[in-house]
C-alpha cells in the first residue's frame, strides 16, 4: 500500500514539474503585441524589396555580362550584390507578417532570420574587402606581391560566405532545439535571446562591426592620402574632391545602416532582464535600417563605378519619357481644330 502511494506521489510530482517547465517556457515569451498591422514596417520593407531588387539585379546583369573586364573590385561587388539580393528575398515574408497575417511556422521564421543575418554580415565583410582592395590598389599600384594578393579575391569571397553561414548555422540549430519545448511562437517579433547573450554580443560587436569599421577607416584614410600625394592628383585627370565625397558617403552609409542595429543589441544585452516592448520596437527598426543598406549599396558602389556608368545609360529612361511626353503634346496639338 505504501509503495502504491509513493509511486502515485512521484507521478504527481513529475506532472507538477512538467507543468512548471511549460509555464516557465511560456513566461519566457516576450510580452509584445504580435500579428498587428505595422504600416511603417510594411511600407519600408516593400520599398527595400522593390527598389533594392531592381538595383541589385541591374548590377548583377551588368557584372555577369562584362566578365572579360572583371577586376578584383568587381568580384567583391558581384558577391555583395548577391548577398544583398538574398537578403531582399527574405523580406516578403516579413511584409506578410507585418500585414497581420498568422500561420508562419517557427522553423521558417528562424531560417529566414538565419539567411538575413548571414547576408547582412556578409555585406559588412564584403564592403570591408572593397574598401581594402581600393586602398592597396591605389597605394601600391606597382607592387607585384600586392597584385598577386588581389587576384585571390574569389577565394576571399568564398571564405566570407563559409564564415558567415558557418557561424550562423549553430545558432539556427540551437533555436530549433529550444523551440521544440516552447509553447508560444512570436516569429519575427520575438526577443533575440541568443543574439543578446554577453559572449555573443561581444563577438558580434568586435568581429562583425568593430574590426570592419576600423579597417574601413584606416583604408579610407590611406586611400585619400595616396590620392593627395600622387602626381596625377595635381592634374585635372583625377577629381580628388569626388573621391573624398565617395569615401565619406561610403562610411556614412555604413554607419547609418549598421550602427543602430549593433547599438540596440548592446542595449538589449545590458537590460536583458527588463526588456520592454519599446526596446523590441527599437530593435525591429534598427533591423530595418540594416536592411536599407541593400538599396544604398548600389548607389554608393555600383552606380559610382566608371565602367558601370559608361555601359548602363540610366538617363536613357528619362529621355524615353521626355520623348513620349513630347509626342503626346504634339498629338494633342494636332487634334486641336484651327480656329483661323
Amino acid at each position: 500500500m505504501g509503495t502504491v502511494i509513493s509511486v502515485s506521489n512521484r507521478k504527481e510530482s513529475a506532472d507538477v514539474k512538467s507543468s512548471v517547465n511549460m509555464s516557465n517556457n511560456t513566461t519566457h515569451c516576450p510580452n509584445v503585441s504580435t500579428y498587428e498591422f505595422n504600416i511603417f514596417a510594411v511600407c519600408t520593407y516593400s520599398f527595400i524589396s522593390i527598389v533594392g531588387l531592381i538595383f541589385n539585379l541591374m548590377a548583377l546583369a551588368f557584372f555577369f555580362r562584362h566578365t572579360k573586364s572583371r577586376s578584383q573590385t568587381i568580384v567583391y561587388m558581384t558577391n555583395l550584390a548577391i548577398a544583398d539580393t538574398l537578403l531582399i528575398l527574405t523580406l516578403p515574408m516579413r511584409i506578410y507578417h507585418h500585414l497581420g497575417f498568422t500561420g508562419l511556422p517557427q522553423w521558417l521564421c528562424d531560417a529566414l532570420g538565419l539567411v538575413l543575418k548571414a547576408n547582412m554580415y556578409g555585406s559588412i565583410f564584403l564592403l570591408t574587402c572593397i574598401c581594402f582592395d581600393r586602398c592597396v590598389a591605389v597605394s601600391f599600384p606597382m607592387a607585384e606581391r600586392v597584385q598577386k594578393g588581389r587576384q585571390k579575391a574569389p577565394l576571399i569571397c568564398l571564405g566570407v560566405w563559409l564564415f558567415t553561414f558557418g557561424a550562423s548555422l549553430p545558432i539556427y540549430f540551437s533555436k530549433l532545439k529550444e523551440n521544440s519545448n516552447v509553447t508560444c511562437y512570436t516569429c519575427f517579433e520575438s526577443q533575440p535571446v541568443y543574439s543578446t547573450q554577453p559572449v555573443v554580443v561581444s563577438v558580434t560587436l568586435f568581429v562583425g562591426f568593430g574590426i570592419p569599421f576600423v579597417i574601413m577607416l584606416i583604408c579610407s584614410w590611406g586611400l585619400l592620402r595616396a590620392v593627395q600625394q600622387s602626381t596625377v592628383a595635381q592634374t585635372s585627370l583625377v577629381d580628388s574632391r569626388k573621391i573624398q565625397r565617395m569615401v565619406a558617403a561610403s562610411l556614412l552609409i555604413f554607419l547609418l545602416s549598421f550602427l543602430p542595429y549593433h547599438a540596440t543589441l548592446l542595449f538589449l544585452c545590458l537590460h536583458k532582464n527588463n526588456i520592454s516592448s519599446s526596446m523590441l520596437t527599437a530593435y525591429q527598426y534598427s533591423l530595418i535600417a540594416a536592411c536599407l543598406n541593400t538599396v544604398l549599396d548600389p548607389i554608393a558602389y555600383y552606380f559610382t563605378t566608371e565602367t558601370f556608368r559608361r555601359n548602363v545609360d540610366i538617363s536613357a529612361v528619362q529621355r524615353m519619357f521626355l520623348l513620349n511626353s513630347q509626342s503626346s503634346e504634339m498629338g494633342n496639338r494636332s487634334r486641336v481644330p484651327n480656329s483661323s
Side-chain angles (χ1 to χ4, degrees):
M1 183 71 179
T3 57
V4 173
I5 295 174
S6 63
V7 169
S8 62
N9 289 334
R10 291 176 183 174
K11 185 175 181 181
E12 289 177 358
S13 62
D15 293 338
V16 170
K17 289 181 179 180
S18 62
S19 62
V20 170
N21 291 331
M22 291 180 65
S23 63
N24 288 335
N25 289 332
T26 305
T27 55
H28 279 87
C29 297
N31 185 18
V32 294
S33 55
T34 58
Y35 304 123
E36 290 186 357
F37 180 75
N38 190 334
I39 183 64
F40 178 79
V42 170
C43 293
T44 310
Y45 279 133
S46 299
F47 171 80
I48 296 172
S49 299
I50 297 172
V51 179
L53 189 62
I54 292 174
F55 282 177
N56 285 282
L57 289 180
M58 285 177 59
L60 286 174
F62 167 77
F63 292 149
F64 285 114
R65 183 179 177 183
H66 297 82
T67 55
K68 294 182 180 180
S69 61
R70 181 175 297 181
S71 63
Q72 284 73 27
T73 304
I74 297 299
V75 172
Y76 292 124
M77 287 185 178
T78 303
N79 284 268
L80 178 61
I82 293 174
D84 289 343
T85 303
L86 291 177
L87 189 151
I88 290 171
L89 293 179
T90 66
L91 299 184
M93 284 300 168
R94 291 183 178 269
I95 297 172
Y96 177 86
H97 169 77
H98 288 294
L99 282 172
F101 295 104
T102 62
L104 290 177
Q106 190 67 23
W107 67 266
L108 179 61
C109 299
D110 293 337
L112 294 176
L114 163 70
V115 176
L116 188 146
K117 297 293 179 60
N119 286 283
M120 181 180 74
Y121 285 104
S123 299
I124 291 176
F125 294 137
L126 290 170
L127 289 172
T128 307
C129 291
I130 292 174
C131 189
F132 180 80
D133 183 76
R134 284 178 172 176
C135 178
V136 297
V138 175
S139 301
F140 310 99
M142 304 303 294
E144 184 178 356
R145 182 177 297 180
V146 172
Q147 298 304 322
K148 288 183 179 180
R150 293 185 64 215
Q151 293 175 1
K152 297 180 181 179
L155 294 178
I156 296 176
C157 292
L158 178 61
V160 170
W161 288 106
L162 292 177
F163 177 73
T164 52
F165 276 93
S168 301
L169 283 176
I171 301 175
Y172 172 69
F173 288 115
S174 65
K175 280 186 176 183
L176 288 180
K177 186 176 180 180
E178 292 175 0
N179 291 333
S180 61
N181 298 321
V182 176
T183 57
C184 69
Y185 302 101
T186 52
C187 202
F188 300 120
E189 298 288 344
S190 62
Q191 173 186 338
V193 179
Y194 187 88
S195 301
T196 53
Q197 294 180 4
V199 177
V200 178
V201 171
S202 301
V203 175
T204 301
L205 292 177
F206 186 69
V207 179
F209 179 78
I211 293 179
F213 181 62
V214 171
I215 293 175
M216 291 185 69
L217 281 177
I218 296 174
C219 292
S220 299
W221 174 80
L223 175 62
L224 294 177
R225 185 171 180 269
V227 170
Q228 290 176 357
Q229 292 181 351
S230 64
T231 56
V232 183
Q234 308 302 326
T235 65
S236 59
L237 297 177
V238 175
D239 189 355
S240 58
R241 292 184 178 179
K242 182 179 179 181
I243 297 177
Q244 292 175 2
R245 290 194 298 267
M246 180 190 69
V247 171
S250 301
L251 292 175
L252 183 61
I253 289 173
F254 186 89
L255 285 176
L256 291 177
S257 299
F258 302 116
L259 180 60
Y261 174 77
H262 292 89
T264 307
L265 278 185
L266 179 61
F267 188 80
L268 290 177
C269 177
L270 296 176
H271 300 82
K272 62 180 180 179
N273 295 326
N274 189 21
I275 295 179
S276 62
S277 58
S278 60
M279 295 181 186
L280 292 178
T281 302
Y283 169 77
Q284 295 296 328
Y285 287 163
S286 67
L287 189 61
I288 292 176
C291 294
L292 190 62
N293 180 257
T294 58
V295 178
L296 301 177
D297 281 344
I299 299 174
Y301 290 91
Y302 315 146
F303 297 151
T304 57
T305 304
E306 193 69 25
T307 307
F308 191 97
R309 287 188 284 111
R310 283 201 307 263
N311 291 274
V312 180
D313 191 5
I314 303 176
S315 62
V317 180
Q318 297 177 348
R319 290 198 300 267
M320 181 183 67
F321 282 109
L322 288 174
L323 290 175
N324 289 335
S325 61
Q326 290 177 0
S327 61
S328 61
E329 289 178 1
M330 293 293 294
N332 293 331
R333 291 175 182 177
S334 61
R335 293 190 191 98
V336 177
N338 192 358
S339 59
S340 59

